[in-house]
Amino acid sequence: MNFNDLYWHDSTIQSISIKRDNPGYNDSIIFEIDWYDTGLGKIIFYDVLKAKFDLNFGMIVRESILNAECVEVDESLALLREQQNDFFLTYGLNCYLINTNSTASQIKIYAAGFQLEV
């Protein structure tokens, strides 16, 4: 499944949670999303090494997604690949970028991968 091919535009973020019950071994970030085309589901980013949340609050709106993509070129991704060479060679490392419509927020997640639960 290709991250960039998911129906992101106008899907809404219902919740975001961080799971670290086994820190350093299985750090994950879970989004509950109401997908525009298929309804409620979860996307789980696993083996997360870093995340940046630039979120804007105070608006009474649902958080709809403008776009999302797995990006190849990112300064932090290049630095993480250099610093975490063993991890990268074993698991790979991707940068997932999510931009929102409603609050002009941006989320970057640096993780080995993702999985969908519907």
Side-chain angles (χ1 to χ4, degrees):
M1 175 177 319
N2 188 328
F3 185 84
N4 296 345
D5 291 338
L6 296 172
Y7 200 110
W8 292 102
H9 187 71
D10 286 339
S11 295
T12 57
I13 298 171
Q14 302 297 307
S15 67
I16 303 170
S17 58
I18 298 169
K19 187 175 179 187
R20 296 200 71 224
D21 55 347
N22 195 5
Y25 294 101
N26 185 16
D27 300 318
S28 56
I29 298 175
I30 301 122
F31 284 73
E32 187 175 32
I33 295 179
D34 188 359
W35 296 99
Y36 187 80
D37 60 342
T38 60
L40 201 58
K42 291 182 182 178
I43 185 165
I44 302 164
F45 297 93
Y46 57 86
D47 291 328
V48 175
L49 281 185
K50 183 176 184 172
K52 293 181 179 183
F53 293 83
D54 184 6
L55 303 176
N56 298 303
F57 294 96
M59 295 168 234
I60 304 171
V61 295
R62 294 205 178 269
E63 189 66 90
S64 75
I65 299 169
L66 175 63
N67 59 34
E69 64 180 323
C70 181
V71 296
E72 294 289 323
V73 179
D74 179 85
E75 290 177 17
S76 293
L77 182 58
L79 184 60
L80 278 171
R81 282 179 175 159
E82 185 177 303
Q83 292 172 343
Q84 302 287 339
N85 193 40
D86 291 340
F87 180 92
F88 176 68
L89 291 174
T90 303
Y91 301 103
L93 187 60
N94 301 298
C95 176
Y96 300 97
L97 175 65
I98 300 170
N99 294 301
T100 69
N101 276 322
S102 308
T103 61
S105 296
Q106 185 177 76
I107 301 164
K108 285 185 178 182
I109 299 171
Y110 302 88
F114 72 94
Q115 68 184 42
L116 285 178
E117 287 184 5
V118 288

